[in-house]
Amino acid sequence: MSRPICRTFDAAVLVPEMSREEAGNAIKTCVAIHAYSACVRPCDIELAQQICAGSNTKVCVVLGFPHGVQLSASKVDEAKRYVEMGVHEIDMVANYGWVRSGMWDEVRADIAAVSAVTKSAGTPLKVIFETSCLNADKIRKLTEVCIEAGADFVKTSTGFNGAGAQEEDVKLMLEIADGRIKVKASGGIRDAERAQMFIDMGVHRLGVNWSSSAAICAGGQAEGSGY
């Protein structure tokens, strides 16, 4: 039996200007629709843990968000702090300036340093590509690098830069992954038809905005545009 589509959702609660009350209400929506996880800002980890306690919605947090250009040591420090706080999953942004520069040794080391922390804690690590900034060759190579570095997922987008998940990019990521790493389509998924298309392609998780999640679960389309 296939899982309900809500159980593929990492429902994003990441808009930087959200008030504490707005973030809390958004996380409550994630729980109400039984999202797999609420993906939150680091400042909202404890709030999310309180709201998600006793539910089947996990707490995911972003790292190096949204540009991925922090020092590797800073990313490692972030990872250690989040693991110590008990988050269930971490979504890390790759340094796509380095990726575009072909600095593959540096990119691999950056991801591997964080992966070393998450692997020892049993915390799944997703690496965000920002595919809108990369060509097919870079997407292909970065997928391989993430496998080599020990990441658990590759992910298309932050949702804050460019077009988000595109069919051709997701298809390429799945092809290169070949079962060696999981794939998350994220960004611009605002209706049930598009969400289901990516699931049917073989992705393991969907990054959707919390405000789109209920409409997608109901088989419809969210209003407006954006993440």
Side-chain angles (χ1 to χ4, degrees):
M1 180 180 294
S2 62
R3 55 186 170 162
I5 198 164
C6 62
R7 297 304 296 163
T8 70
F9 290 174
D10 289 334
V13 185
L14 297 171
V15 176
E17 66 268 25
M18 293 182 92
S19 70
R20 184 77 162 178
E21 181 180 6
E22 289 169 337
N25 288 335
I27 296 164
K28 289 175 184 176
T29 297
C30 301
V31 172
I33 60 102
H34 301 285
Y36 186 86
S37 79
C39 187
V40 301
R41 306 173 297 187
C43 63
D44 293 326
I45 290 173
E46 292 181 339
L47 175 66
Q49 288 173 326
Q50 292 166 11
I51 294 170
C52 294
S55 76
N56 62 353
T57 298
K58 298 180 183 293
V59 176
C60 173
V61 70
V62 290
L63 183 155
F65 197 84
H67 304 302
V69 294
Q70 292 83 351
L71 296 173
S72 292
S74 298
K75 288 182 173 179
V76 168
D77 182 65
E78 275 195 83
K80 289 178 178 177
R81 291 176 185 274
Y82 302 157
V83 164
E84 288 172 0
M85 292 179 73
V87 301
H88 298 110
E89 298 187 342
I90 293 174
D91 284 22
M92 164 191 175
V93 186
N95 187 323
Y96 50 90
W98 283 358
V99 174
R100 292 183 67 241
S101 302
M103 297 169 60
W104 298 115
D105 289 343
E106 290 83 356
V107 173
R108 186 181 296 103
D110 188 54
I111 298 167
V114 174
S115 176
V117 175
T118 59
K119 284 289 187 191
S120 63
T123 305
L125 175 67
K126 311 185 197 89
V127 178
I128 306 172
F129 282 24
E130 208 67 281
T131 47
S132 64
C133 297
L134 308 177
N135 62 27
D137 287 342
K138 294 293 193 296
I139 293 170
R140 182 180 293 107
K141 179 64 175 179
L142 184 51
T143 303
E144 292 284 2
V145 166
C146 288
I147 294 167
E148 294 164 2
D152 299 287
F153 283 77
V154 289
K155 174 182 171 182
T156 55
S157 315
T158 62
F160 289 88
N161 190 356
Q166 298 298 300
E167 186 175 356
E168 61 272 20
D169 295 334
V170 173
K171 182 178 179 181
L172 177 59
M173 292 164 79
L174 285 163
E175 177 185 314
I176 302 304
D178 194 27
R180 297 176 294 165
I181 194 168
K182 296 178 181 178
V183 176
K184 175 178 172 179
S186 182
I189 304 171
R190 299 181 57 79
D191 64 86
E193 183 178 358
R194 188 166 182 79
Q196 190 61 52
M197 177 193 73
F198 286 124
I199 294 298
D200 291 344
M201 287 174 65
V203 303
H204 300 83
R205 205 76 64 80
L206 296 174
V208 302
N209 191 282
W210 71 271
S211 62
S212 303
S213 58
I216 295 173
C217 289
Q221 179 170 344
E223 296 180 358
S225 61
Y227 188 103

